[in-house]
Amino acid sequence: MTDNTAGTPLSRAWANAALPALGAIIVIGLWWGLTAALDVDPFYVPSPPDVVQSFLRTPEFLLTETWTTLQRVLIGFGIAVVLGLVIAVVLAASRTVERMTMPMLAALNAVPKVALAPLLLVWMGFGDSPKIVMVVLVSFFPIIVSTMAGLSSTPSDLRELARSLSASWWQTFVKVRLKWALPQVFVGLKVATPLAIIGAVIGEVVNPDHGLGSVIVGSGASSDTPQAFAALVLLAIVGVVLFYLMAAIERIAVPWARAIS
Amino acid sequence: MISIDGVSRSFGPVQALKDIRLEVADGEFLTLIGRSGCGKSTLLRLIGGLDRPTGGRVLVDGEEVRKPRRDVAVNFQKPALLPWRSVLENVMLPVEIFKWDRAKSREHAQYLLETTGLTGFAKRLPHELSGGMQQRVALCRTLIQRPKVMLMDEPFSALDALTREELSLELQRIHMETGTTIVFVTHSIQEAVLLADRVAVLSARPGRVKQVVDIKIPRPRSFGHNAHLEEVAKASAELHQLLLSDHMPDVAA
């Protein structure tokens, strides 16, 4: 799994920090080079300096909107995690409930969430709640699926061990199955993290008030493409930071997972 | 201590065990030996209450076995350690499940780790240990239950030859010290002769007890390099003969 087979801690640190940075620099360089070489009108595709300039014109405004979106993402994601884990545990505990509800959950997940956005507007009006609900809707399903997969993947030798110790269902669940499922849970959380951001932006684009999604809609209306790009870059940065944050939490929470996979 | 009373077990049309009758005395070390697929693991699971017979019954300490008992401990082929728990926490698992006094048992756990050569590894995670050490941890986890009966299903079979010998000797020491009744499944004649008071040879399909061989070699026994070589050779030869003669018709078929 680990590709850091080559040697010293120093070279590993170099690989961990410098290589991603190098990759980003190359991509930004290409972007810049192409817009300059082809002399693209910033109205269509602004160059990196155009985007930075656009950000520097209204940094406070853009950062406030970023914070608004981030708050919606975090609240919605938090609800999705709790909801997803609870539902997964209930479904894993009872095959009857699972059979009754799984098709409906799958159907709910298959509904294009954008199509629900106007309904959320009708039900909840403007403000934060329809956006947060959209975040939950978009991101909770992978958490359920991966948690359930983890809960049903307990190795037979560990199940037999619990049985031979006459462990109760609850003891087996808490001490063995749930712990064993954690690495899988984190797979779901890492899939759900960017989805949560997508959910927030869908909510804001369909029903704009504040947040980066609304900024993009506003930029489109005023033909300010560089500002739309600045908002996109900010979204990308939020996404990357949250993803790596989740990966870091995973490393702390299940340090044993890498060793046995 | 254990009384196996006309036990049969079928899986659909396949009869895995047929009319097994065996008595295991208190403190005895019985080894079940046989070729793969002769049902020796199935028999062990029946004694442990992990499976129910389709005919006959198993008694442990005078009571019919219907489900796993807390005074009967099982060791599997795999050490079955929880990968997120340290060595000490793994050993303490039965204590937690039985809701025993942790402080008291912790001392016992420390003692067990010391006597099995795991001092200094209490805080390590299982994946940091060798296979042999992992089985030692599993052994400690069994011993902390203070079981009346230990059921062991080829616990050393995945280990290299030298580690196997070490652990067999370790088990002999434990048996001599604790006087626990042990039923030990293996396909190694060498292990059987080293450890057992009696060896029950099972034949396959349907699994039945072909013969029970007494091993009357004084303890502590050791591998090869001291007294009683003659008796060891004789017992080994007898078991070898019994096992080899078993599958002849199947090979032809």
Side-chain angles (χ1 to χ4, degrees):
Chain A
M1 245 194 85
T2 46
D3 47 359
N4 301 323
T5 41
T8 65
L10 194 69
S11 68
R12 208 173 304 151
W14 157 256
N16 282 344
L19 287 180
L22 188 65
I25 289 168
I26 289 173
V27 169
I28 293 170
L30 276 176
W31 169 16
W32 197 343
L34 279 173
T35 47
L38 303 174
D39 196 19
V40 182
D41 185 337
F43 176 73
Y44 294 111
V45 181
S47 68
D50 295 333
V51 175
V52 172
Q53 263 173 20
S54 170
F55 174 77
L56 290 178
R57 246 185 292 134
T58 51
E60 222 168 286
F61 165 68
L62 283 171
L63 287 178
T64 312
E65 300 305 300
T66 306
W67 175 235
T68 304
T69 301
L70 181 62
Q71 271 178 311
R72 290 167 173 170
V73 167
L74 291 180
I75 294 171
F77 187 69
I79 296 172
V81 170
V82 173
L83 202 67
L85 288 178
V86 169
I87 292 176
V89 167
V90 171
L91 295 191
S94 158
R95 271 204 71 69
T96 317
V97 179
E98 187 202 331
R99 286 190 176 173
M100 267 168 58
T101 52
M102 202 57 193
M104 269 191 297
L105 284 172
L108 176 63
N109 186 50
V111 172
K113 306 302 177 304
V114 191
L116 293 178
L119 289 175
L120 295 179
L121 179 65
V122 172
W123 293 331
M124 289 171 227
F126 301 94
D128 285 329
S129 16
K131 283 86 174 177
I132 290 171
V133 170
M134 186 58 81
V135 172
V136 176
L137 282 175
V138 173
S139 62
F140 84 113
F141 199 70
I143 301 175
I144 296 183
V145 172
S146 61
T147 304
M148 285 183 65
L151 286 173
S152 59
S153 70
T154 319
S156 60
D157 52 326
L158 295 187
R159 269 184 284 145
E160 287 272 270
L161 172 73
R163 271 191 69 205
S164 79
L165 291 170
S166 324
S168 67
W169 184 90
W170 179 247
Q171 284 176 325
T172 309
F173 188 82
V174 173
K175 289 185 192 295
V176 181
R177 289 180 68 195
L178 201 56
K179 287 276 187 143
W180 184 267
L182 277 183
Q184 283 280 336
V185 173
F186 272 101
V187 173
L189 293 181
K190 283 194 286 189
V191 173
T193 308
L195 287 178
I197 298 169
I198 292 172
V201 173
I202 291 175
E204 289 167 357
V205 166
V206 176
N207 174 1
D209 53 353
H210 285 286
L212 289 172
S214 314
V215 171
I216 293 169
V217 174
S219 316
S222 59
S223 307
D224 189 353
T225 320
Q227 190 180 51
F229 267 72
L232 285 173
V233 169
L234 285 167
L235 278 173
I237 291 171
V238 168
V240 168
V241 169
L242 288 186
F243 182 83
Y244 279 102
L245 194 65
M246 192 52 76
I249 294 173
E250 178 188 17
R251 251 200 303 277
I252 294 165
V254 287
W256 50 274
R258 291 176 152 228
I260 62 161
S261 59
Chain B
M1 177 58 74
I2 304 171
S3 166
I4 300 163
D5 185 10
V7 161
S8 303
R9 179 68 170 100
S10 304
F11 297 98
V14 181
Q15 187 151 40
L17 293 171
K18 191 177 178 189
D19 197 28
I20 305 278
R21 285 170 200 282
L22 271 174
E23 296 286 328
V24 189
D26 197 358
E28 188 179 18
F29 197 123
L30 179 85
T31 295
L32 299 174
I33 197 168
R35 297 195 168 196
S36 314
C38 72
K40 49 194 193 305
S41 294
T42 307
L43 183 55
L44 201 77
R45 292 171 54 83
L46 293 176
I47 302 171
L50 293 168
D51 192 7
R52 299 291 310 275
T54 43
R57 50 188 202 147
V58 179
L59 302 174
V60 170
D61 212 7
E63 257 175 68
E64 185 171 350
V65 176
R66 295 171 192 279
K67 54 180 175 42
R69 296 165 55 114
R70 291 192 162 172
D71 53 1
V72 175
V74 188
N75 271 91
F76 304 96
Q77 199 167 345
K78 289 188 188 168
L81 302 176
L82 302 179
W84 52 87
R85 284 187 170 226
S86 70
V87 165
L88 182 64
E89 288 165 347
N90 263 292
V91 174
M92 291 291 283
L93 179 71
V95 173
E96 288 173 30
I97 288 177
F98 298 167
K99 300 198 172 82
W100 287 353
D101 185 322
R102 288 191 201 195
K104 247 185 257 170
S105 300
R106 192 170 289 269
E107 270 171 47
H108 187 197
Q110 299 281 12
Y111 166 79
L112 290 171
L113 290 177
E114 260 168 52
T115 53
T116 47
L118 290 167
T119 321
F121 291 94
K123 287 184 181 155
R124 296 294 187 88
L125 289 176
H127 72 261
E128 298 174 300
L129 307 184
S130 68
M133 288 167 89
Q134 291 185 12
Q135 271 302 357
R136 285 171 196 267
V137 177
L139 206 55
C140 290
R141 184 183 58 199
T142 299
L143 290 169
I144 204 159
Q145 296 185 52
R146 298 187 192 276
K148 286 185 187 160
V149 176
M150 283 166 71
L151 304 174
M152 313 188 77
D153 190 0
E154 301 190 40
F156 310 144
S157 61
L159 306 174
D160 67 85
L162 215 60
T163 312
R164 254 180 113 134
E165 291 187 6
E166 273 173 22
L167 276 166
S168 301
L169 292 170
E170 189 82 37
L171 182 60
Q172 173 176 246
R173 177 187 66 74
I174 289 165
H175 180 235
M176 289 172 72
E177 277 173 17
T178 60
T180 309
T181 309
I182 300 181
V183 181
F184 187 93
V185 166
T186 183
H187 48 240
S188 154
I189 292 173
Q190 202 193 17
E191 250 171 33
V193 173
L194 178 86
L195 291 168
D197 297 313
R198 285 190 304 153
V199 181
V201 181
L202 298 194
S203 67
R205 284 191 202 113
R208 355 165 155 239
V209 179
K210 190 168 191 177
Q211 196 162 329
V212 178
V213 178
D214 283 306
I215 311 284
K216 289 195 177 114
I217 302 169
R219 295 181 190 276
R221 301 170 189 165
S222 59
F223 280 104
H225 54 71
N226 66 358
H228 314 298
L229 279 179
E230 216 170 290
E231 288 100 318
V232 169
K234 212 177 131 221
S236 304
E238 189 181 356
L239 291 173
H240 208 158
Q241 191 58 41
L242 283 164
L243 284 169
L244 269 184
S245 66
D246 185 36
H247 254 276
M248 288 311 194
D250 263 11
V251 174

